[in-house]
Amino acid sequence: GDCETVDSVSLQLQWFTQAQFAGYYAAIENGYYADQCLDVEIKEGAVEIVPQSELANGNADFAIAWVPKALQTREAGADIVNIAQVFERSGTLQVSFADAGITSAADFEGKIIGNWGFGNEYEVFAAIGQAGLDPATDVTLVGQQFDMVALLEGEIDAAEAMTYNEYAQVLETVNPDTGELYQPEDFNVINYEEEGVGMLQDAIWADAGRLADDAEYRDQAVRFVAASLQGWAYCRDNVEECATVVTEAGSTLGASHQQWMMNEVNKLIWPASGDHIGLIDDAAWQQTVAISMDTPNLDGATLLTAAPDDGAYTNDID
């Protein structure tokens, strides 16, 4: 193209290659980053990788992270800033078998409720508190693997799940009583966004110090966000193609699972309430911060001890 120089930048994901991150893979595949004179390396996540810490430590130029977890890392001293809120809605669910009768968080009383920990559990705690229950005495909270095995084997009454991943896993499982796949009506699903305790999830984070001091990095950030959002727009309109791109990029989950994931991820991004995606909605931000400050976990600790300052997010990059 017409690039005098091509800048190499890296993006740290918060999990393994899957359609949750399809927009970034599509932006590589379709040359959107190249059009912005960027060469982007995508670094896969893993259980032990904390993306916002990789960013703060200088191991990546940009990172994808949930807002509450990134704000906790920021409160601990990481100089990071949210430059594009890609997912506008929370994708967290609590899934139970229909015969357990769990249709709202109030029904968690006396039940065994799974959660993932690692900062993924605060919507669960917020819903419990909102229902007037004490998480220490009214509910049995247990750690859960990042799958649905404990629910399917009857070890827990309700499992934490993402709309775009673990919920699909139960619907891809054969019901031993029928020999056919489980159906949606076999389950009750609590949607934390609808319960009013949704917290902002996947956002693009940048190094705040570099943004302030390094004009070249700031310019790279503007171009990176522009091309990334172009990738997400492509995936909105080309679900099958993006599922294929992600599968070919190394996802082990299979093309049909990726297509489900792509469809569900799109629902978290579109329709956008602002004039375009990526803008941080102040009301959703304030709800996320309030839950992070007000919701104690079993140890009595809250995710944040104080509200983040104005430098925690910016709408100036996109």
Side-chain angles (χ1 to χ4, degrees), residues 226-238:
S228 297
L229 299 185
Q230 198 178 351
W232 283 114
Y234 177 83
C235 289
R236 173 194 60 198
D237 302 330
N238 300 276

Side-chain angles (χ1 to χ4, degrees), residues 189-203:
V189 175
I190 293 171
N191 180 309
Y192 287 121
E193 182 77 15
E194 292 170 7
E195 291 275 314
V197 294
M199 299 172 86
L200 289 169
Q201 298 181 343
D202 296 37

Side-chain angles (χ1 to χ4, degrees), residues 7 43 55 63 77 125 152 159 247 249 273 278:
D7 298 323
K43 299 182 169 193
L55 168 66
F125 280 100
L152 291 167
T247 304
S273 58

Side-chain angles (χ1 to χ4, degrees), residues 114-287:
N115 74 83
W116 290 319
F118 295 105
N120 300 302
E121 72 275 21
Y122 279 86
E123 288 165 308
V124 184
F125 280 100
I128 290 169
Q130 185 175 276
L133 302 176
D134 181 336
T137 57
D138 295 333
V139 181
T140 303
L141 288 161
V142 298
Q144 175 191 330
Q145 299 295 317
F146 288 94
D147 58 37
M148 301 301 275
V149 173
L151 175 69
L152 291 167
E153 295 189 349
E155 295 166 13
I156 59 178
D157 294 311
E160 189 170 3
M162 301 310 295
T163 55
Y164 51 78
N165 195 1
E166 291 79 14
Y167 179 52
Q169 289 174 21
V170 296
L171 299 177
E172 292 165 350
T173 301
V174 171
N175 178 346
D177 295 338
T178 65
E180 305 288 329
L181 293 179
Y182 280 114
Q183 299 300 307
E185 55 267 24
D186 294 326
F187 301 98
N188 280 324
V189 175
I190 293 171
N191 180 309
Y192 287 121
E193 182 77 15
E194 292 170 7
E195 291 275 314
V197 294
M199 299 172 86
L200 289 169
Q201 298 181 343
D202 296 37
I204 301 172
W205 296 79
D207 182 311
R210 287 176 70 193
L211 270 190
D213 301 338
D214 180 348
E216 188 178 8
Y217 175 73
R218 187 180 180 85
D219 182 55
Q220 289 169 1
V222 170
R223 288 181 280 141
F224 178 79
V225 168
S228 297
L229 299 185
Q230 198 178 351
W232 283 114
Y234 177 83
C235 289
R236 173 194 60 198
D237 302 330
N238 300 276
V239 168
E240 280 185 48
E241 290 83 348
C242 282
T244 301
V245 164
V246 172
T247 304
E248 289 176 352
S251 173
T252 56
L253 296 171
S256 65
H257 188 88
Q258 291 305 339
Q259 204 162 317
W260 166 288
M261 189 180 293
M262 191 70 254
N263 278 315
E264 292 300 321
V265 163
N266 277 336
K267 295 176 194 173
L268 302 180
I269 303 174
W270 315 95
S273 58
D275 54 358
H276 64 90
I277 65 167
L279 295 176
I280 292 104
D281 173 71
D282 194 62
W285 179 269
Q286 297 300 344
Q287 176 170 304

Side-chain angles (χ1 to χ4, degrees), residues 18 41 53 70 77 86 110 126 186 189 224 236 266 271 283 308 314 316:
Q18 55 184 20
E41 176 199 0
S53 297
V86 178
D186 294 326
V189 175
F224 178 79
R236 173 194 60 198
N266 277 336
T314 176
D316 296 343

